[in-house]
Amino acid sequence: MSARILDGVPLADAIRAEVAAAVKRYAGDGRKPGLAVVIVGENPASQVYVKAKGKACEEAGMHSETVRLSERTTEAELLATVERLNRDPAIHGFLVQLPLPSHINGERVLNAIDPAKDVDGFHPVNVGRLSIGDPTALRPATPFGVQQMLIRSGIETRGAHAVIVGRSNIVGKPMASLLIQPGTGGDATVTVCHSKTRDLPAVCRSADILVVAMGKPEFVTADMVRPGATVIDVGINRVDDASQPKGYRIVGDVAYAPVAEVAGAITPVPGGVGRMTIAMLLQNTLQAFQQAAGRA
Ligand code: NDP
């Protein structure tokens, strides 16, 4: 195995420590950033994420609130919760955990969140701000975390050809927006691929930095990677594995072992990008708090 492993654990820990240090400084003036997470229903994966977010928030010294609503909550009731959090002065950022039950229109809920408190960065106002390079944009945590991994691992994005596989609104598109902005962690030449891309392997092989966010277990193989390229695996997939106590294991969208033989650097799954996401959510909450304080 030749690739350098981009370990998300120390990187995420460093960001969380920086956030905690900033929170401590504000605590001296009696001020505290607050994050709320709204969860509707009992989706087991969502329950795990929400618990982890609340715990991370408390560990960073922030005020944390989890709003648990039943599966039968109506859209009007959820919108009323969003309105309450929009007005709550103790809450500087909040998110509504996805997926939502099918009887609720997720777009309507998302659009009701005050963009200044939209720590997921999914509101159209934040999407627009990110796209025009406005530094007040709240940036979606996962691609923001990828960008931080690149910066903090000393991987040069400037002038590099970054190929992103996946064009979702939560990963692929904001990843492209971040990497093409001028400045640190940007200035890349970006290609975004999707299911209609012609000759995906050839496009991937042209990448200096390959970011994969497809949701397809171990799809990217060694022949799709240029020797020495940096490979960032965003994918989190459960695959059946009878040898594991839980009956499954977690793999990325990249065939890790063979790709690590050719890549220059690679993120593991788990322990790579996934570790960064919550750290960036805390960072976003701190940013929302600081921006609110600036406006006060
Ligand atoms: P989506 O399903 O929303 O998007 C997947 C994208 O991959 C689509 O744009 C799709 O193309 C593209 N795609 C699928 N198959 C192919 C193919 N054969 N060739 C080329 N492109 C293809 O997924 P997300 O962006 O939400 O998530 C991607 C992965 O990242 C998932 O495994 C998810 O679990 C993980 N994830 C991890 C996070 C973390 O914290 N680490 C956070 C968020 C997501 P098209 O648009 O044409 O359909």
Side-chain angles (χ1 to χ4, degrees):
M1 197 174 289
S2 61
R4 177 180 152 208
I5 296 167
L6 303 177
D7 186 350
V9 177
L11 295 173
D13 285 351
I15 292 167
R16 286 168 65 157
E18 288 163 22
V19 171
V23 171
K24 208 169 170 187
R25 285 197 298 276
Y26 290 113
D29 312 334
R31 296 187 295 160
K32 202 178 214 186
L35 172 70
V37 179
V38 182
I39 178 165
V40 185
E42 299 295 327
N43 180 313
S46 296
Q47 295 283 347
V48 172
Y49 293 140
V50 165
K51 216 169 153 186
K53 287 169 186 176
K55 186 165 171 271
C57 190
E58 280 163 20
E59 282 170 8
M62 292 181 178
H63 168 64
S64 160
E65 184 178 332
T66 303
V67 182
R68 293 179 189 281
L69 301 173
S70 100
E71 185 80 31
R72 291 189 304 278
T73 300
T74 63
E75 189 176 300
E77 286 165 341
L78 179 56
L79 287 169
T81 298
V82 167
E83 269 317 307
R84 174 178 74 73
L85 293 169
N86 280 343
R87 286 193 304 269
D88 186 341
I91 296 298
H92 302 91
F94 69 97
L95 62 93
V96 179
Q97 183 69 40
L98 301 176
L100 286 168
S102 55
H103 65 274
I104 293 177
N105 180 331
E107 203 180 320
R108 212 172 286 148
V109 173
L110 186 65
N111 289 346
I113 296 174
D114 178 351
K117 295 191 175 188
D118 165 42
V119 282
D120 258 347
F122 297 157
H123 190 287
V125 166
N126 281 313
V127 176
R129 285 183 181 148
L130 172 60
S131 156
I132 62 173
D134 178 341
T136 68
L138 291 166
R139 292 156 277 189
T142 299
F144 188 18
V146 170
Q147 186 186 44
Q148 283 299 311
M149 280 187 114
L150 294 169
I151 294 170
R152 290 169 185 247
S153 306
I155 290 164
E156 184 59 85
T157 53
R158 187 173 170 196
H161 184 205
V163 172
I164 301 162
V165 190
R167 57 175 164 183
S168 72
N169 290 335
I170 64 168
V171 188
K173 283 183 200 157
M175 188 79 253
S177 287
L178 285 164
L179 290 170
I180 55 168
Q181 293 304 328
T184 308
D187 283 323
T189 303
V190 178
T191 300
V192 181
C193 302
H194 45 76
S195 63
K196 309 296 183 292
T197 296
R198 202 182 307 140
D199 200 353
L200 181 69
V203 182
C204 290
R205 273 193 301 275
S206 70
D208 302 307
I209 298 170
L210 180 61
V211 182
V212 190
M214 305 170 74
K216 293 270 154 81
E218 302 179 322
F219 187 95
V220 170
T221 45
D223 59 311
M224 296 168 74
V225 175
R226 179 151 90 192
T230 296
V231 178
I232 307 287
D233 189 354
V234 181
I236 300 177
N237 309 287
R238 269 186 190 194
V239 294
D240 292 340
D241 184 344
S243 72
Q244 299 292 317
K246 289 182 176 165
Y248 67 84
R249 67 195 154 88
I250 301 292
V251 298
D253 291 345
V254 174
Y256 182 80
V259 170
E261 296 290 338
V262 289
I266 188 167
T267 59
V269 176
V273 174
R275 294 299 290 242
M276 301 295 287
T277 300
I278 289 184
M280 302 325 294
L281 177 66
L282 299 179
Q283 175 69 51
N284 280 350
T285 306
L286 178 63
Q287 182 186 331
F289 167 82
Q290 288 169 329
Q291 289 177 179
R295 279 194 304 274

